[in-house]
């Protein structure tokens, strides 16, 4: 069965702390009628620092969508290959052994997609299948795992590569001053992650079942307004409360597999914010410690969108606490409101 191997993660070199973010918000928006609320919300995100592909002074500038698109492509090509090489090494595979590349990103756009450039640049076979996903936002990390799983179920001897590349700082819009936008400015960070799903062999999470769920009538709760200035992120104040309707969806997928979502040995959950993790802990009736990997990602990197679930998974690998036979649940949440859910069992390659 398909095994999700150890992810490789990279965050860029420029750092902004939560204290610096609060000072910046006060300086830029001190006359905002709800500035006290904004500062309180940013302070309570749990984020200690975030990483950016450019110094904050450049992030705050808006040279236009065309210039930002150039920056997105330049940094993608400069940064992604090294992360992929580490993911391949950790899965003990070569580029020629990859049969599908699932590439997810919601913070920039390229056509042809980065997958075609990577196939040429890194020595993947010309026959390698491509699956770029651009519109699932933070849920795309979970979707990438699930689509790779589906592929390996259809072709049990083949292997898939997952890449998540998110430069959230390129979506900063200086004219967006709603509370949701200002909170987002203090929450999102930049990061790249990659992982291999092996059709046979490998150490990691043996993927067993996946599912998706969309909360009805919530399509405008997380969205982009696409304008001449680029992507304008829109966040409804109701989003933090979405775990109440989504927890039953996680339970349903687990029950289909004759598992109990509240009795897993490990959890890899998209850390959209502390309220998401707190509420899911409540509605699944699991201790807050169960989400320690996701909380660590949020604390150290902020919300790195689709890369969160892979980073949280990497932290579990590093902790070394998973044992053969341990059961786990992975979930990513994003626009729709969409949940992408995976179930799997930890396995150690005996070869």
């Amino acid at each position: 069965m398909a095994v999700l191997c150890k992810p490789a993660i990279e965050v860029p070199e420029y750092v902004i702390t939560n204290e610096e973010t609060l000072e910046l918000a006060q300086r830029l928006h001190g006359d905002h009628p709800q500035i006290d609320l904004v500062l309180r919300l940013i302070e309570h995100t749990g984020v200690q620092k975030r990483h950016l592909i450019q110094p904050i002074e450049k992030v705050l500038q808006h040279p236009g969508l065309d210039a930002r698109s150039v920056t997105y492509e330049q940094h993608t090509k400069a940064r992604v290959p090294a992360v992929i090489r580490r993911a391949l090494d950790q899965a003990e595979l070569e580029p020629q052994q990859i049969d599908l590349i699932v590439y997810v990103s919601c913070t920039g756009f390229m056509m042809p997609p980065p997958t075609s450039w990577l196939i040429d640049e890194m020595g993947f076979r010309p026959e390698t299948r491509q699956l770029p996903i651009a519109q699932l936002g933070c849920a795309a990390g979970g979707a990438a795992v699930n689509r790779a799983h589906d592929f390996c179920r259809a072709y049990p001897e083949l292997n898939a590569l997952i890449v998540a590349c998110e430069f959230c700082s390129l979506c900063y819009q200086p004219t967006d001053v709603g509370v949701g936008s200002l909170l987002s400015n203090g929450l999102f960070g930049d990061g790249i992650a990659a992982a291999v799903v092996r059709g046979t062999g490998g150490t990691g999470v043996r993927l067993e079942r996946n599912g998706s769920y969309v909360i009805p009538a919530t399509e405008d709760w997380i969205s982009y307004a696409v304008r001449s200035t680029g992507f304008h992120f829109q966040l409804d104040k109701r989003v933090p409360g979405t775990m109440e309707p989504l927890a039953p969806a996680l339970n349903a997928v687990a029950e289909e597999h004759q598992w109990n979502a509240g009795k897993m040995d490990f959890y890899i959950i998209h850390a959209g914010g502390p309220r998401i993790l707190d509420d899911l802990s409540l509605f699944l009736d699991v201790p807050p410690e169960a989400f320690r990997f996701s909380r660590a990602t949020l604390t150290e990197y902020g919300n790195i969108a689709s890369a969160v679930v892979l980073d949280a998974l990497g932290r579990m690998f590093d902790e070394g606490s998973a044992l053969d036979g341990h059961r786990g649940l992975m979930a990513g949440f994003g626009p729709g409101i969409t949940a992408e859910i995976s179930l799997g069992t930890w396995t150690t390659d005996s070869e």
Side-chain angles (χ1 to χ4, degrees):
M1 298 180 72
V3 171
L4 176 58
C5 300
K6 183 178 182 178
I9 313 295
E10 179 191 290
V11 289
E13 60 273 27
Y14 298 102
V15 175
I16 182 168
T17 66
N18 198 45
E19 291 76 14
E20 291 167 335
T21 298
L22 291 167
E23 292 170 5
L24 193 62
Q26 181 70 62
R27 175 161 59 85
L28 295 176
H29 306 288
D31 58 351
H32 192 287
Q34 293 179 286
I35 187 61
D36 290 340
L37 172 62
V38 170
L39 295 175
R40 189 164 62 250
L41 290 172
I42 292 175
E43 190 172 5
H44 291 161
T45 59
V47 178
Q48 290 185 0
K49 63 179 176 65
R50 295 171 293 147
H51 292 252
L52 311 171
I53 60 170
Q54 302 177 107
I56 187 61
E57 295 77 17
K58 291 200 71 174
V59 171
L60 295 176
Q61 299 170 5
H62 195 332
L65 179 58
D66 50 351
R68 280 188 168 178
S69 296
V70 170
T71 300
Y72 177 85
E73 182 170 349
Q74 288 175 339
H75 282 270
T76 296
K77 291 182 175 180
R79 297 175 184 272
V80 168
V83 184
I84 289 176
R85 289 189 191 98
R86 285 195 284 119
L88 291 171
D89 288 345
Q90 287 166 183
E92 300 183 326
L93 293 180
E94 298 294 330
Q96 298 81 5
Q97 296 172 279
I98 295 297
D99 304 281
L100 167 72
I101 303 174
V102 185
Y103 191 101
V104 298
S105 179
C106 64
T107 51
F109 184 81
M110 291 169 59
M111 193 170 73
T115 46
S116 60
W117 177 81
L118 288 166
I119 288 170
D120 280 342
E121 179 72 13
M122 297 192 64
F124 295 98
R125 290 178 292 109
E127 298 84 4
T128 306
R129 298 159 175 87
Q130 305 172 69
L131 181 56
I133 301 174
Q135 293 160 294
L136 278 176
C138 297
V145 171
N146 289 350
R147 300 297 75 78
H149 179 204
D150 292 343
F151 176 79
C152 290
R153 289 170 64 191
Y155 305 99
E157 301 300 315
L158 303 188
N159 305 304
L161 170 69
I162 297 165
V163 184
C165 177
E166 301 291 11
F167 303 143
C168 301
S169 61
L170 293 179
C171 295
Y172 171 71
Q173 297 290 348
T175 60
D176 291 355
V177 294
V179 171
S181 296
L182 296 179
L183 170 60
S184 300
N185 294 341
L187 179 63
F188 286 90
D190 298 345
I192 301 167
V196 170
V197 176
R198 290 185 52 140
T200 58
T203 292
V205 181
R206 185 178 68 231
L207 300 170
E208 298 186 29
R209 181 179 291 270
N210 67 63
S212 301
Y213 185 80
V214 175
I215 305 175
T218 59
E219 64 271 12
D220 59 347
W221 288 20
I222 302 175
S223 63
Y224 275 165
V226 183
R227 301 173 183 153
S228 59
T229 45
F231 302 143
H232 291 251
F233 184 66
Q234 301 176 138
L235 183 69
D236 190 280
K237 64 182 180 181
R238 292 171 287 184
V239 169
T242 49
M243 289 305 100
E244 185 169 6
L246 284 181
L250 272 61
N251 278 318
V253 173
E255 288 170 2
E256 289 170 2
H257 204 54
Q258 298 183 327
W259 288 6
N260 184 333
K263 302 294 183 183
M264 298 293 180
D265 298 298
F266 62 87
Y267 294 85
I268 306 298
I269 304 296
H270 173 72
R275 168 81 183 275
I276 297 295
L277 298 175
D278 292 344
D279 279 6
L280 195 57
S281 173
L282 173 66
F283 293 120
L284 290 184
D285 192 22
V286 299
E289 174 68 10
F291 300 145
R292 62 190 179 278
F293 308 116
S294 302
R295 292 186 191 278
T297 298
L298 184 65
T299 297
E300 296 180 25
Y301 297 157
N303 184 341
I304 50 175
S306 64
V308 166
V309 290
L310 294 178
D311 181 74
L313 177 63
R315 292 172 188 273
M316 188 178 80
F317 271 86
D318 290 340
E319 184 181 87
S321 56
L323 302 175
D324 279 350
H326 274 190
R327 296 174 174 180
L329 182 150
M330 297 180 62
F333 311 118
I337 300 286
T338 300
E340 288 284 341
I341 307 154
S342 308
L343 301 177
T345 303
W346 184 266
T347 184
T348 302
D349 193 349
S350 58
E351 296 179 1

